[in-house]
Amino acid sequence: MLNLTPEQQRRRWLALGIVAVAYVLSFFQRFAPAGIAQDLAAAFNTSAASLGALAATYFYVYTVMQVPTGMLADTLGPRRILMLGGLIGGVGSFLFGFAPSFEIALVGRTLVGLGVSVTFIAMLKLIAVWFEESRFATLVGVCMLIGNLGSVLAGAPLSAVAQATGWRGVFIGIGVVSLALAAACWLIVRDRPEGAGTPPAVKFDRTVLLTSLLSVVKNRDTWPAILVNTGTCGAFFTFAGLWTVPYLMQVHGMERSTAASHLSLWFGGFAVGCLLLGSLSDRIRRRKPVIIATTHVFAAVWLFLLAGITLPLAGSYLLFALLGLATAGFSLTWACAKEVNPPMLSGMSTSVTNMGSFLAAALLQPLVGWIMDQGWHGEMLGGARIYDLAAWRGGLLVVVAGSLVGALCSWWIVETGCRNIWAERQKARG
């Protein structure tokens, strides 16, 4: 039980607010290239493949940085890595905004990905240390709801501002905001409340770090959470990040704006679902039943999409709203991983769990495209390939497989009762 002074209680909420704003910036940077793709193509006179590489750099860096970020969160603490991340991300955003060539823009984008990659894990560490265990999932849900505002800002608002003032000015401005947040993190955020009974930091020693990481990976209670996150979130990132709009246009004959509104509804349902499901889990003090129910609904929706049945527009919107809510179930896996590992290793346990989804997206997105290309019959429209339902089903099978992995592995989730049970499990095993 935390015993915080009034000053510490005020500081924790202020610190969490600052980090939540940094998380909005992370989401914005993740999806920003999609909103200004035409501007980037014109500025750098580059191909679609090169633009794809420019956008994907974020995900590759993000994936690679998850485990190191967990280690740094448990050793250096969230304050230092948030400050360093803000500085690096700010420099990257400046470089991207001022870039005279595609190569410089690629370096800037890489630095942006490196800088923002620490935000989420540092935020989880901050919540784990400064707030009660029973509030963890709720607060993560609130922060994810806030963070998703960044994906909204990276769409139509970014496009409108870029057309009015130019895209370069936007990223220069974001660089300024990033540096300001870095300064705020250094001044306001503290790694732990002194004298409140929180676990000490892990010593910054290579042997200790490797031993700690291995203890998380070797803990068989961690793996169900990892696999649920990888299957469910991997399917989410794979399809929502690239294929949703063309699928709805080509298979169900939707206009681009209508297809895009389905994607927005999916993201909106996901954001709201993170808050609702986190609060529900904390209120009933159960993790497993919520995860089982949502991952099975998620898989069922994908099986329906695989069938290619065209619904009335209202029914289609309802289906994607349900898909968004069900997607949010994977957000509880971070709490599950944290609660079956030593409290001092909350950064490592959540980062290892988080890594699976980004790795899955990096691997599955091109795999879906490759499978679809095998079923392509040469039809083109406006320079773009048109795929029939059979070709789409081939690609969708990959996503369906991911959703089924998530649903199946949810049955092996260890129920924690919304508290850390690592010591109990160790004692029971002798």
Side-chain angles (χ1 to χ4, degrees):
M1 177 67 70
L2 293 176
N3 185 23
L4 303 180
T5 66
E7 171 61 23
Q8 288 175 327
Q9 292 183 24
R10 185 190 69 83
R11 179 180 288 274
R12 72 176 180 178
W13 287 110
L14 182 58
L16 186 59
I18 292 171
V19 179
V21 174
Y23 193 42
V24 172
L25 213 61
S26 175
F27 264 88
F28 177 86
Q29 294 281 24
R30 185 178 303 173
F31 295 108
I36 56 169
Q38 295 301 321
D39 301 297
L40 294 175
F44 300 117
N45 191 28
T46 189
S47 67
S50 296
L51 283 179
L54 184 67
T57 301
Y58 176 105
F59 289 96
Y60 288 114
V61 175
Y62 208 106
T63 301
V64 171
M65 280 299 298
Q66 289 310 285
V67 170
T69 297
M71 291 181 172
L72 292 173
D74 289 334
T75 53
L76 294 181
R79 180 193 183 201
R80 290 179 177 82
I81 64 172
L82 284 166
M83 185 271 292
L84 290 172
L87 290 176
I88 294 171
V91 171
S93 197
F94 281 132
L95 200 58
F96 189 71
F98 285 115
S101 66
F102 177 81
E103 290 74 19
I104 299 299
L106 192 63
V107 173
R109 180 70 177 166
T110 302
L111 289 177
V112 165
L114 179 62
V116 303
S117 67
V118 305
T119 306
F120 181 67
I121 299 302
M123 183 178 72
L124 294 184
K125 181 69 176 183
L126 200 69
I127 295 173
V129 171
W130 276 90
F131 293 87
E132 295 76 13
E133 285 185 344
S134 60
R135 304 171 73 177
F136 183 83
T138 300
L139 289 174
V140 171
V142 171
C143 289
M144 292 196 71
L145 176 64
I146 296 171
N148 267 279
L149 293 175
S151 61
V152 175
L153 294 173
L158 172 59
S159 181
V161 173
Q163 288 181 348
T165 64
W167 66 271
R168 292 182 181 275
V170 173
F171 286 91
I172 293 169
I174 292 297
V176 173
V177 174
S178 183
L179 295 181
L181 286 171
C185 286
W186 182 254
L187 294 173
I188 303 298
V189 175
R190 293 294 180 268
D191 294 333
R192 62 187 56 80
E194 297 298 331
T198 55
V202 179
K203 293 181 179 179
F204 196 90
D205 178 88
R206 183 166 55 187
T207 302
V208 173
L209 286 175
L210 291 177
T211 301
S212 299
L213 177 61
L214 285 175
S215 73
V216 172
V217 174
K218 288 181 177 180
N219 183 356
R220 62 175 179 266
D221 292 342
T222 309
W223 279 95
I226 293 175
L227 294 174
V228 170
N229 190 289
T230 300
T232 304
C233 187
F236 170 46
F237 282 168
T238 297
F239 211 74
L242 191 60
W243 302 111
T244 303
V245 172
Y247 165 79
L248 292 174
M249 292 176 65
Q250 295 182 17
V251 174
H252 299 289
M254 294 183 185
E255 296 292 332
R256 182 179 298 275
S257 59
T258 304
S261 65
H262 279 71
L263 182 59
S264 297
L265 188 59
W266 188 357
F267 280 118
F270 169 66
V272 173
C274 286
L275 175 60
L276 294 180
L277 295 177
S279 300
L280 173 63
S281 175
D282 284 344
R283 187 173 298 113
I284 67 175
R285 302 194 65 79
R286 300 287 298 279
R287 305 289 192 214
K288 188 171 183 175
V290 180
I291 294 177
I292 289 175
T294 53
T295 54
H296 282 65
V297 171
F298 183 78
V301 173
W302 280 110
L303 289 172
F304 186 87
L305 292 173
L306 182 65
I309 300 172
T310 299
L311 295 172
L313 190 58
S316 184
Y317 278 129
L318 285 174
L319 184 69
F320 271 75
L322 177 63
L323 181 61
L325 290 172
T327 302
F330 82 82
S331 65
L332 294 176
T333 59
W334 299 308
C336 292
K338 178 185 76 73
E339 291 162 356
V340 296
N341 283 287
M344 69 180 67
L345 301 182
S346 59
M348 290 189 197
S349 59
T350 51
S351 67
V352 169
T353 304
N354 199 41
M355 184 177 179
S357 57
F358 285 91
L359 180 60
L363 297 176
L364 295 184
Q365 274 193 347
L367 178 60
V368 169
W370 180 82
I371 292 174
M372 288 168 53
D373 281 338
Q374 307 312 300
W376 180 54
H377 300 299
E379 186 178 356
M380 302 280 290
L381 180 64
R385 291 186 175 187
I386 302 298
Y387 300 91
D388 60 17
L389 178 58
W392 276 106
R393 279 177 174 162
L396 276 172
L397 279 173
V398 175
V399 183
V400 170
S403 71
L404 291 175
V405 167
L408 178 64
C409 292
S410 68
W411 290 96
W412 281 276
I413 288 284
V414 176
E415 181 57 69
T416 65
C418 301
R419 70 188 196 287
N420 192 286
I421 62 170
W422 175 77
E424 296 175 20
R425 299 283 286 182
Q426 293 297 109
K427 184 177 180 180
R429 290 169 181 165

